[in-house]
Amino acid sequence: MSAVPVIAIDGPAASGKGTVAAAVARALGFHLLDSGALYRLVALAAMRSGVPLDTEAGLVPLAAGLDARFESGRVQLHGDDVTAAIRDEPVSEGASRVAVHAGVRKALLARQRAFRQPPGLVADGRDMGTVVFPDARVKVFVTASAEARALRRQRQLAERGQEADLGELLDEIRARDARDSRRAVAPLEPAPDAVTLDTTDLTAEAAAAFVLDRYARRAG
Ligand code: DC
């Protein structure tokens, strides 16, 4: 067991967990792992090189050899800045599809655990508290209603100058939830020792304060 503390923040798409994780990491001066970005990079790499998203044998070498860099909030794939590209809707959908393969998940495991460096790590994803860091000091499962999540996603897209239909976003979110929750390997579910935080009516600041308070109680 590592002495470096981990705060695991899991939850469904657009639940606000990424924003909460980033705020908590900033407040504590901890490293940040956005594990979803790794699945997004595998999907993008596959799409760019014509590897079908349902062929595990084609995806595993891509995941194992992913030449990815995370620096100052930017993400690079093979030296190419893909920070915006990995957030596109087809890549979001692709990430959820590549994530069902056990071999892909296994290939990304050591890379995720390598983010555990002093003074600590805030890890955001679907299986941080269940599979990747089962000994995390604090485990939070962030939820919000599908409607609230679709609205947040619409706002995020609007900030990037993209218009999106709320009904379509809601359908996409529900489809991703279903795929992420029903997959056989590491499905989206709270760890038995996770505390659930419903952010439907919470600001990002209030949600981050909740996690920080939880950590302060466990850190002593
Ligand atoms: O957190 P995100 O929306 O960026 O994640 C994109 C997809 O990656 C999500 O639909 C499921 C998958 N994922 C996963 O299976 N396990 C993780 N720890 C993180 C993401």
Side-chain angles (χ1 to χ4, degrees):
M1 208 201 261
S2 165
V4 178
V6 174
I7 299 177
I9 302 188
D10 290 304
S15 57
K17 66 189 159 44
T19 311
V20 173
V24 170
R26 215 177 307 118
L28 295 171
F30 280 14
H31 299 280
L32 178 66
L33 166 63
D34 169 9
S35 61
L38 292 172
Y39 291 92
R40 289 170 181 274
L41 285 167
V42 174
L44 183 65
M47 288 155 89
R48 286 188 171 176
S49 51
V51 172
L53 301 183
D54 54 357
T55 56
E56 184 165 16
L59 294 169
V60 169
L62 275 183
L66 207 60
D67 174 14
R69 288 182 65 153
F70 296 86
E71 254 174 42
S72 336
R74 311 295 306 174
V75 187
Q76 285 188 352
L77 177 64
H78 303 296
D80 184 17
D81 191 315
V82 294
T83 316
I86 59 165
R87 301 289 152 198
D88 283 344
E89 219 40 59
V91 181
S92 302
E93 144 96 24
S96 173
R97 288 177 59 196
V98 302
V100 305
H101 304 292
V104 171
R105 307 196 70 83
K106 202 168 153 225
L108 294 178
L109 204 52
R111 194 186 289 261
Q112 294 176 82
R113 289 187 175 147
F115 278 78
R116 187 175 200 167
Q117 298 288 340
L121 175 68
V122 181
D124 144 17
R126 302 291 187 289
D127 61 344
M128 298 297 98
T130 49
V131 176
V132 183
F133 303 108
D135 64 336
R137 198 166 290 180
V138 171
K139 300 182 184 180
V140 183
F141 193 79
V142 179
T143 60
S145 69
E147 290 76 11
R149 291 186 285 133
L151 257 176
R152 284 178 194 163
R153 185 80 189 118
Q154 191 183 41
R155 243 178 270 138
Q156 277 173 359
L157 289 169
E159 279 165 19
R160 287 166 42 188
Q162 297 174 21
E163 252 181 62
D165 180 76
L166 195 60
E168 274 173 29
L169 288 175
L170 194 55
D171 287 348
E172 277 161 15
I173 280 181
R174 288 194 171 127
R176 269 176 77 195
D177 279 359
R179 194 183 299 114
D180 293 349
S181 310
R182 284 186 211 137
R183 68 178 178 225
V185 214
L188 171 66
E189 62 183 5
D193 50 349
V195 55
T196 296
L197 177 64
D198 188 332
T199 65
T200 305
D201 299 312
L202 277 190
T203 61
E205 292 76 24
F210 173 90
V211 179
L212 286 166
D213 178 61
R214 204 79 204 167
Y215 179 70
R217 288 162 193 250
R218 300 295 308 270

